[in-house]
């Protein structure tokens, strides 16, 4: 069984009516992960040290460094300062689409270190038609995600990204202190396990910024569901790429911002 990437730390908890008492809380690990391609350093991500091969593969795909077929393998090693993940690419693979970076990628930032405005918002491919999904299936996945977050339940300090089938059943879940990292880990796991993002939908626990839309599109997803609100640019990017964007997905419902034709209201006997 994989060790939970967290440590128990003491704290003093204050409550208005109960005063102060000693408690212990699980805190998720956050470490530096150096990502390189064929031995050439590219960026440093602040991430949770679990599923790092998934993270490396997913980052490669969602940042348009290379396609899944161009990835020959990933070597992950622990160092004194953190972790190193080196992605080996097929000979002749062109990396011109990768955003050049000069700084570390913080867990809260998807574009840290990008040097030019032109690299920040890049053209997106059009998504495939994908599956049609019921509103009830979306709610089924939202309800199930809480129990599926092992690290999140223990720490209340991480994000999750999940792949759900058309019926709302969760197929894959990945967690990280960074929302972009969690989605990249999901993308990598899907690529390694040959899961098709268009055969269902992607669900994230974070707010929906435009980078989350871009990564979902590059993963091949046609529907993205976020528990929090989208930015205006996220909506624009989703509409332009043909992605169905669902947000504010809570226990009592959700809002559809783009391409609502992929969602339908299931008949009572199908719920």
């Amino acid at each position: 069984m994989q060790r939970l990437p967290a440590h128990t730390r003491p704290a003093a908890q204050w409550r208005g009516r109960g005063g102060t008492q000693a408690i212990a809380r699980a805190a998720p690990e956050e470490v530096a992960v150096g990502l390189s391609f064929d031995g050439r350093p590219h960026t440093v991500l602040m991430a949770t040290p679990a599923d790092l091969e998934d993270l490396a593969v997913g980052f490669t795909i969602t940042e348009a460094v290379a396609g899944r077929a161009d990835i020959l393998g990933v070597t992950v090693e622990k160092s004194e300062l953190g972790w190193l993940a080196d992605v080996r690419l097929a000979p002749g693979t062109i990396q011109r689409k990768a955003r050049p970076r000069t700084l570390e990628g913080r867990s809260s930032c998807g574009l840290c270190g990008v040097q030019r405005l032109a690299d920040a918002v890049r053209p997106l491919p059009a998504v495939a038609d994908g599956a049609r999904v019921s509103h009830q299936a979306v709610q089924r996945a939202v309800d199930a995600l809480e129990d599926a977050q092992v690290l999140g339940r223990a720490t209340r300090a991480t994000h999750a990204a999940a792949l759900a089938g058309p019926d709302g059943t969760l197929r894959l879940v990945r967690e990280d202190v960074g929302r972009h990292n969690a989605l990249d880990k999901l993308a990598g796991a899907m690529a390694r396990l040959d899961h098709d993002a268009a055969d269902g939908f992607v669900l994230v626990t974070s707010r929906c910024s435009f980078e989350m839309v871009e990564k979902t599109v590059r993963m091949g997803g046609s529907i993205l569901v976020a528990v929090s609100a989208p930015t205006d640019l996220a909506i624009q990017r989703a509409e332009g790429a043909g992605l169905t964007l669902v947000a504010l997905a809570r226990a009592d419902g959700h809002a559809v911002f783009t391409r609502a034709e992929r969602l339908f209201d299931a008949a009572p006997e199908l719920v």
Side-chain angles (χ1 to χ4, degrees):
M1 184 175 180
Q2 188 178 29
R3 180 185 70 84
L4 193 68
H7 298 286
T8 301
R9 302 295 186 186
Q13 179 172 275
W14 181 87
R15 291 285 187 254
R17 295 184 178 180
T20 302
Q21 63 178 358
I23 64 168
R25 288 277 302 186
E29 295 180 29
E30 184 176 21
V31 302
V33 179
L35 183 61
S36 61
F37 297 100
D38 295 324
R40 295 188 296 273
H42 181 71
T43 191
V44 177
L45 305 173
M46 297 307 299
T48 300
D51 304 308
L52 294 184
E53 187 171 348
D54 289 341
L55 176 61
V57 171
F59 183 95
T60 303
I61 294 170
T62 67
E63 288 294 308
V65 177
R68 177 66 184 96
D70 296 315
I71 301 173
L72 299 181
V74 179
T75 301
V76 177
E77 298 179 344
K78 196 176 190 309
S79 73
E80 293 182 0
L81 300 177
W83 290 82
L84 300 173
D86 183 57
V87 181
R88 300 187 306 280
L89 299 175
T93 299
I94 299 175
Q95 299 183 36
R96 64 176 180 270
K97 293 183 180 179
R99 293 183 176 108
R101 295 171 183 252
T102 57
L103 302 175
E104 79 277 12
R106 298 172 179 84
S107 59
S108 61
C109 177
L111 295 179
C112 292
V114 172
Q115 300 170 6
R116 301 181 303 165
L117 288 176
D119 293 320
V121 182
R122 300 177 297 175
L124 287 176
V127 303
D129 290 339
R132 293 190 72 238
V133 173
S134 72
H135 292 284
Q136 290 79 3
V138 170
Q139 290 305 123
R140 195 173 296 121
V142 172
D143 293 342
L145 189 55
E146 172 68 20
D147 289 338
Q149 296 177 67
V150 178
L151 185 59
R153 290 202 317 274
T155 66
R156 296 297 176 186
T158 58
H159 288 292
L163 174 67
D167 63 351
T169 301
L170 298 184
R171 295 177 174 174
L172 286 173
V173 178
R174 290 294 183 268
E175 298 178 271
D176 198 274
V177 290
R179 56 195 171 94
H180 307 92
N181 297 336
L183 188 54
D184 280 341
K185 286 181 178 180
L186 178 68
M190 289 167 52
R192 295 174 62 207
L193 297 172
D194 292 324
H195 283 289
D196 186 355
D199 181 25
F201 58 96
V202 173
L203 172 62
V204 296
T205 60
S206 63
R207 71 181 177 88
C208 186
S209 57
F210 82 93
E211 312 101 286
M212 305 298 275
V213 166
E214 288 192 349
K215 288 179 181 291
T216 301
V217 171
R218 295 193 186 282
M219 290 162 58
S222 57
I223 303 174
L224 172 62
V225 178
V227 302
S228 195
T231 66
D232 183 66
L233 184 55
I235 297 171
Q236 292 181 48
R237 298 290 277 168
E239 183 63 46
L243 179 77
T244 296
L245 178 56
V246 182
L248 299 169
R250 311 290 171 80
D252 60 345
H254 51 263
V256 185
F257 288 86
T258 63
R259 300 303 174 102
E261 64 270 15
R262 290 195 182 96
L263 294 177
F264 63 93
D265 202 7
E269 62 270 17
L270 298 179
V271 175

